[in-house]
Amino acid sequence: MNIEKKTRNCFISYHHNNDQKYLSELRKTVKSMKVSDYSLKTDIGHLTNETIYNKIRSKMRTCSVTVILIGTRTGHRKWIDWEIWASLRGYSHPFDKKKSFKPNGLLAIFLPGQNHSIPDRLQDNIDSGYAVSMRWKNLERDFESKVNYAYWKRNNATNLIRNNRNRQESNSINFLGIKI
């Protein structure tokens, strides 16, 4: 009996330099459901802010869940904050409903290690109950249910979205435990 797998269009946000290996592993490991990965495949940091933001938004339009891989530098990265910000913004096109979209659900995956750097905007949504989270070690067992729960929240709990922070204007550094 061949059962067709559900498809979820996910945008995956991560620190390219530090966490690429985890993205590659995620793509190999997740077999319980078909995941269409609309994330940016290469580092485009050399482009202008406006160009990068437009690329992010065009990818977001086709996604329903944003998966954020949380490592040691994730919360310090400008573009990860912008990806989360864009994920939480819906858009109603005035003339063409096909160009309208809802905010994405959020799934935070805590990578192995103990020094996680959680983006402030993501932490706001974990605290409010909108963002779903899980540990990397449970990826194979829990990924499908967590993505589906984030998808459910996208449709049923948008009142929990917290997206009122200013966008991060630059990457920050960690100096003695303080983000500067």
Side-chain angles (χ1 to χ4, degrees):
M1 180 183 199
N2 187 8
I3 298 174
E4 189 172 322
K5 297 177 185 178
K6 288 183 183 176
T7 300
R8 293 286 183 239
N9 296 334
C10 296
F11 184 94
I12 302 174
S13 182
Y14 65 102
H15 182 217
H16 286 272
N17 291 344
N18 286 9
D19 303 324
Q20 180 67 46
K21 66 182 177 185
Y22 292 107
L23 176 62
S24 299
E25 188 64 28
L26 182 138
R27 289 179 177 149
K28 286 187 237 172
T29 302
V30 174
K31 294 181 179 140
S32 60
M33 73 184 316
K34 183 178 175 189
V35 176
S36 298
D37 175 7
Y38 285 87
S39 60
L40 302 171
K41 306 295 190 274
T42 58
D43 185 358
I44 57 173
H46 61 282
L47 301 174
T48 66
N49 285 351
E50 184 177 336
T51 300
I52 293 173
Y53 174 71
N54 287 333
K55 286 182 177 290
I56 291 169
R57 280 305 276 177
S58 70
K59 298 283 189 171
M60 292 290 169
R61 274 199 343 232
T62 57
C63 298
S64 54
V65 175
T66 299
V67 176
I68 305 100
L69 302 181
I70 309 297
T72 59
R73 302 275 306 138
T74 309
H76 296 55
R77 308 304 295 171
K78 168 186 174 178
W79 290 113
I80 292 174
D81 178 62
W82 283 44
E83 289 165 353
I84 296 167
W85 177 78
S87 295
L88 295 171
R89 299 180 72 222
Y91 174 70
S92 296
H93 193 277
F95 308 113
D96 187 351
K97 283 190 178 253
K98 291 180 184 177
K99 293 181 180 177
S100 297
F101 50 92
K102 296 178 184 181
N104 285 1
L106 295 179
L107 171 58
I109 301 178
F110 290 89
L111 299 177
Q114 296 180 349
N115 297 320
H116 296 103
S117 172
I118 305 169
D120 293 337
R121 188 179 315 278
L122 178 59
Q123 187 64 59
D124 292 345
N125 285 279
I126 290 171
D127 294 345
S128 76
Y130 184 72
V132 177
S133 63
M134 64 177 285
R135 299 216 168 269
W136 179 260
K137 69 180 183 178
N138 300 326
L139 186 69
E140 213 168 329
R141 182 188 75 193
D142 293 344
F143 185 77
E144 179 179 4
S145 65
K146 296 293 186 173
V147 166
N148 286 331
Y149 189 37
Y151 181 82
W152 180 88
K153 286 190 172 198
R154 168 191 196 238
N155 292 311
N156 297 289
T158 55
N159 61 309
L160 299 175
I161 291 174
R162 302 295 178 262
N163 200 24
N164 55 354
R165 289 180 182 268
N166 290 331
R167 285 177 288 170
Q168 193 171 321
E169 290 303 318
S170 62
N171 292 330
S172 60
I173 59 171
N174 186 351
F175 181 72
L176 301 174
I178 300 169
K179 193 170 161 181
I180 55 173

